[in-house]
């Protein structure tokens, strides 16, 4: 056990003996005393067990910043609760993991209260605890219920817009006399401006790590030295005060301009006007209902306010429900693929080394990947329209891309990353939750970012992303036939000449093989590439 953390914990311990308290296990993503039993009972009546599980941290090559964020917040939450008078048990799990820790505590003090974990992975592990030793409760950190999700749609397929309209009406948020304020439920169509430098992008706050946080950093550097990513404690909000500081900055500096530039990307600012609070919301260091109330009460332009509400009350809640209903995409209607690895489009190629930092020659991909391994974060359009888009155009395995997102992003947990990547970015689950693949050529990236200005490729002539787009549509035409949202692009690809389609296929094979070999792309004339006969596609 860490000496600084143990010393701080010992200084805060007070109150009645352990056996006189009701004990609860608080998972790493329920770090709030405003939910669950901690919100209902006096501190001196309660005991909290927190568990650090080295085997879970080592299960995947998680970004070092992610490991530090979770561990530092877990330890500081324990210290904050001890200061309130809550008894704290700090356990480093053995090979039996979380279930073993809960079982041992229950054998000593009686049944342990556990709010349902958000992660399927942790729910599955805790299912091994004997029924008599655990008191299961609903997780009341969510904003919506399963009943609301089911009432919004007869699905599958499920649609976020139907769900969002339902919960807006149920909660009366941004509504007036039963109608949406401003006459529309969504202002997404207006939130698509490119950012050219004005207004200036806000600079995220930096934090002063205390002794406990520094000790966490030392542990990560020592025990997980082989894990990827940069560890920067000065950008890591670890305490309750840090979380409040980040939210105050986001509310004042980001949200007033968030709406119009929600989809913009830039080399000059990785986040632009995005709040960066998703890691803390997913850990419940910032409660969803609290930040939602703050945004509703703030004096913000309607497109910015509605855009934030749609992300938090709409999309975040929606993907959680889809994940539960499909058992983590193990049961996707219409698909018979292996458990948790749906691939509606038949994509199965490995993710190229470029996603781990090997230069690809594509400025957009290389810049976003570098940002992710430096910060453990990038905003949702870089995730969807650069990382997801290129992996989809290259026929990369949806499962492999999902696992990459899971380890690379500090806000990624199974309930959020699997819907976002399997269900949306790659269209791996078909139309179960989205209506079409989210793909684009170089024109979109050029329009919404400044990445192309520093690239060796010209987005209008030599960039391979556009022929990759056409090649994808040609390969997937049979699978996507009948999808109304794909009717126009499918009609466009049919109008391409045989020579153009052959060049598209050649570009796809050249880019795929070059990146798979870990080599950087260079501009090349399509007519110099070897052209293979188009394979017949099966449904």
């Amino acid at each position: 056990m860490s000496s600084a953390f143990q010393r701080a914990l010992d200084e805060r311990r007070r109150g009645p003996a352990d056996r006189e308290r009701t004990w609860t296990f608080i998972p790493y993503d329920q770090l709030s005393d405003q939910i669950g039993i901690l919100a209902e009972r006096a501190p001196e009546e309660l005991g909290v067990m927190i568990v650090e599980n080295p085997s879970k941290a080592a299960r995947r090559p998680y970004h070092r910043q992610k490991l530090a964020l979770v561990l530092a917040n877990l330890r500081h939450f324990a210290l904050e609760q001890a200061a309130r008078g809550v008894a704290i048990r700090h356990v480093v799990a053995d090979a039996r993991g979380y279930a073993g820790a809960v079982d041992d505590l229950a054998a000593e003090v009686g049944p342990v209260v556990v709010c349902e974990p958000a992660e399927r992975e942790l729910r599955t592990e805790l299912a091994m605890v004997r029924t008599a030793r655990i008191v299961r409760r609903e997780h009341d950190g969510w904003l919506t219920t399963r009943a609301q999700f089911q009432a919004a749609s007869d699905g599958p397929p499920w649609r976020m817009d139907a769900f969002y309209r339902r919960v807006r009406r149920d909660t009366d948020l941004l509504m007036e006399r039963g109608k949406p304020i401003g006459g529309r439920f969504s202002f997404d169509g207006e939130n698509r401006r490119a950012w050219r430098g004005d207004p200036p992008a806000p600079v995220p706050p930096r934090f002063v790590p205390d002794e406990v946080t520094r000790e966490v950093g030392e542990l990560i550097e020592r025990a997980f030295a082989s894990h990827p990513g940069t560890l920067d404690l000065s950008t890591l909000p670890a305490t309750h005060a840090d979380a409040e500081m980040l939210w105050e900055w986001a509310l004042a500096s980001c949200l007033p301009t968030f709406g119009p530039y929600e989809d913009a990307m830039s080399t000059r600012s990785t986040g632009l006007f995005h709040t960066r609070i998703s890691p803390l919301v997913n850990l419940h260091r910032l409660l969803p209902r609290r930040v939602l109330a703050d945004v509703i009460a703030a004096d913000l332009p309607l497109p910015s306010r509605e855009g934030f509400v749609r992300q938090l009350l709409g999309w975040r809640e929606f993907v959680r429900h889809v994940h539960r209903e499909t058992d983590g995409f193990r049961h996707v209607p219409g698909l018979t693929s292996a458990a948790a690895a749906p691939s509606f489009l038949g994509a199965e190629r490995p993710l190229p080394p470029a996603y781990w930092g090997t230069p690809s020659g594509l400025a957009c991909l290389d810049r976003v990947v570098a940002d992710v391994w430096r910060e453990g974060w990038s905003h949702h359009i870089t995730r969807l329209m650069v990382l997801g888009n290129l992996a989809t155009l290259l026929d990369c395995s949806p499962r492999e891309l999902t696992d990459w997102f899971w380890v690379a992003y500090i806000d990624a947990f199974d309930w959020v990353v699997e819907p976002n990547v399997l269900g949306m970015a790659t269209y791996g689950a078909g139309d179960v939750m989205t209506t079409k693949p989210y793909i684009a050529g170089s024109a979109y990236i050029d329009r919404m970012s400044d990445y192309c200005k520093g690239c060796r490729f010209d987005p209008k002539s030599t960039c391979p992303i556009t022929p990759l787009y056409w090649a994808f549509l040609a390969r997937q035409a049979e699978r996507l036939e009948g999808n109304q949202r794909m009717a126009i692009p499918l009609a466009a690809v049919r109008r391409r000449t045989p020579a153009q389609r052959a060049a598209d296929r050649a570009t796809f094979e050249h880019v795929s093989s070059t990146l798979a070999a870990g080599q950087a792309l260079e501009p090349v004339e399509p007519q110099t590439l070897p052209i293979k006969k188009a394979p017949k596609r099966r449904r």
Side-chain angles (χ1 to χ4, degrees):
M1 183 175 293
S2 88
S3 57
F5 173 59
Q6 181 62 59
R7 197 162 52 246
L9 193 58
D10 289 343
E11 291 172 357
R12 291 161 174 79
R13 280 186 171 138
R14 53 192 170 87
D18 289 356
R19 292 181 181 274
E20 299 173 19
R21 299 173 182 259
T22 298
W23 280 84
T24 180
F25 162 57
I26 300 295
Y28 42 82
D29 59 358
Q30 295 179 17
L31 306 182
S32 173
D33 56 22
Q34 301 301 304
I35 57 175
I37 195 172
L38 287 174
E40 301 168 357
R41 303 275 290 275
E44 59 272 13
E45 298 174 4
L46 295 170
V48 162
M49 178 176 68
I50 63 166
V51 178
E52 297 179 15
N53 189 350
S55 65
K56 180 176 176 66
R59 190 173 300 164
R60 301 175 183 89
Y62 291 114
H63 197 300
R64 286 185 286 179
Q65 188 81 350
K66 180 175 187 173
L67 295 176
L69 177 84
V70 173
L71 184 54
N73 274 277
L74 186 67
R75 291 186 177 187
H76 278 289
F77 173 76
L79 295 175
E80 292 154 10
Q81 296 311 303
R84 294 177 60 226
V86 177
I88 301 294
R89 290 280 188 99
H90 170 248
V91 176
V92 177
D94 57 23
R96 297 170 302 147
Y98 296 101
V102 171
D103 204 55
D104 287 348
L105 180 63
E108 178 185 345
V109 302
V112 175
V113 177
V114 179
C115 285
E116 180 185 66
E119 278 207 293
R120 180 192 184 276
E121 195 167 86
L122 184 52
R123 290 197 302 272
T124 300
E125 185 169 345
L126 291 179
M128 295 185 291
V129 180
R130 282 177 277 180
T131 302
R133 291 191 167 182
I134 194 168
V135 178
R136 302 180 189 276
R137 292 181 44 144
E138 292 292 319
H139 185 336
D140 60 353
W142 301 108
L143 299 171
T144 63
T145 66
R146 186 185 184 205
Q148 287 175 302
F149 179 73
Q150 293 177 324
S153 173
D154 294 330
W158 299 285
R159 296 293 178 257
M160 197 282 283
D161 59 343
F163 172 74
Y164 179 53
R165 288 168 183 251
R166 171 77 191 210
V167 296
R168 281 276 298 275
R169 291 188 177 104
D170 287 351
T171 59
D172 205 34
L173 289 174
L174 297 181
M175 302 289 287
E176 193 172 64
R177 293 189 289 276
K179 301 290 184 180
I181 295 174
R184 284 176 286 165
F185 280 97
S186 172
F187 289 84
D188 187 48
E190 296 181 11
N191 291 355
R192 298 177 183 176
R193 291 175 58 183
W195 181 73
R196 304 306 181 201
D198 187 48
V203 178
R206 302 188 78 85
F207 308 95
V208 179
D210 63 9
E211 187 178 16
V212 172
T213 301
R214 292 196 301 272
E215 192 168 64
V216 166
E218 293 166 3
L219 171 62
I220 300 304
E221 295 282 21
R222 181 175 67 252
F224 302 99
S226 63
H227 283 227
T230 300
L231 177 61
D232 183 355
L233 299 180
S234 71
T235 65
L236 192 152
T239 67
H240 180 262
D242 291 343
E244 291 296 312
M245 176 181 171
L246 181 64
W247 178 229
E248 289 176 10
W249 166 80
L251 193 58
S253 302
C254 297
L255 283 174
T257 322
F258 167 68
Y261 301 104
E262 184 177 349
D263 288 5
M265 302 175 283
S266 178
T267 59
R268 289 173 284 177
S269 171
T270 54
L272 289 175
F273 304 98
H274 289 256
T275 64
R276 297 175 177 262
I277 66 168
S278 56
L280 296 180
V281 172
N282 289 351
L283 295 179
H284 284 83
R285 288 298 257 171
L286 291 171
L287 282 188
R289 63 176 179 244
R290 179 272 177 95
V291 298
L292 184 64
D294 286 351
V295 168
I296 293 297
D299 182 16
L300 297 169
L302 183 57
S304 291
R305 186 184 302 174
E306 187 280 320
F308 182 89
V309 170
R310 184 166 13 96
Q311 286 196 355
L312 191 67
L313 181 65
W315 187 253
R316 183 177 184 272
E317 293 284 317
F318 175 71
V319 300
R320 189 269 294 204
H321 288 298
V322 171
H323 196 257
R324 284 303 305 264
E325 294 296 319
T326 60
D327 191 26
F329 290 85
R330 284 159 178 80
H331 304 291
V332 179
L335 292 182
T336 58
S337 55
S343 185
F344 174 80
L345 299 175
E348 55 185 22
R349 295 186 182 221
L351 202 63
Y355 281 74
W356 297 96
T358 300
S360 72
L362 297 170
C364 56
L365 178 60
D366 292 343
R367 180 56 187 249
V368 175
V369 167
D371 290 344
V372 172
W373 289 122
R374 185 180 66 255
E375 299 184 16
W377 185 88
S378 69
H379 71 70
H380 72 280
I381 295 299
T382 56
R383 302 187 199 205
L384 181 64
M385 299 310 299
V386 176
L387 299 171
N389 178 37
L390 284 166
T392 302
L393 296 180
L394 292 169
D395 280 352
C396 293
S397 159
R399 182 71 253 177
E400 191 169 335
L401 182 65
T402 300
D403 291 343
W404 183 88
F405 270 82
W406 199 344
V407 303
Y409 279 91
I410 59 177
D411 57 4
F413 297 92
D414 61 8
W415 64 268
V416 65
V417 72
E418 289 178 335
N420 273 300
V421 184
L422 291 174
M424 186 183 191
T426 65
Y427 205 59
D431 71 348
V432 71
M433 60 175 281
T434 53
T435 57
K436 69 179 184 70
Y438 282 82
I439 53 171
S442 59
Y444 176 88
I445 296 172
D446 187 33
R447 182 172 69 253
M448 295 306 300
S449 78
D450 58 7
Y451 296 145
C452 299
K453 292 179 181 178
C455 189
R456 64 185 60 174
F457 296 97
D458 185 325
K460 294 180 175 61
S461 59
T462 61
C463 179
I465 297 177
T466 296
L468 288 176
Y469 170 80
W470 291 121
F472 172 88
L473 290 174
R475 291 194 308 278
Q476 301 297 343
E478 289 187 23
R479 286 189 175 96
L480 298 173
E481 196 66 43
N483 185 322
Q484 292 303 307
R485 293 199 66 191
M486 296 300 296
I488 292 176
L490 288 177
V493 78
R494 285 193 292 268
R495 291 193 295 270
R496 290 179 72 75
T497 66
Q500 287 174 321
R501 296 179 70 154
D504 296 338
R505 290 195 304 273
T507 298
F508 168 72
E509 293 298 341
H510 169 70
V511 171
S512 297
S513 61
T514 301
L515 294 184
Q519 299 171 354
L521 297 164
E522 296 283 353
V524 60
E525 292 297 330
Q527 61 266 26
T528 67
L529 298 174
I531 295 176
K532 298 180 181 179
K533 187 177 180 180
K536 292 183 179 180
R537 304 289 297 185
R538 293 183 178 179
R539 286 187 181 272

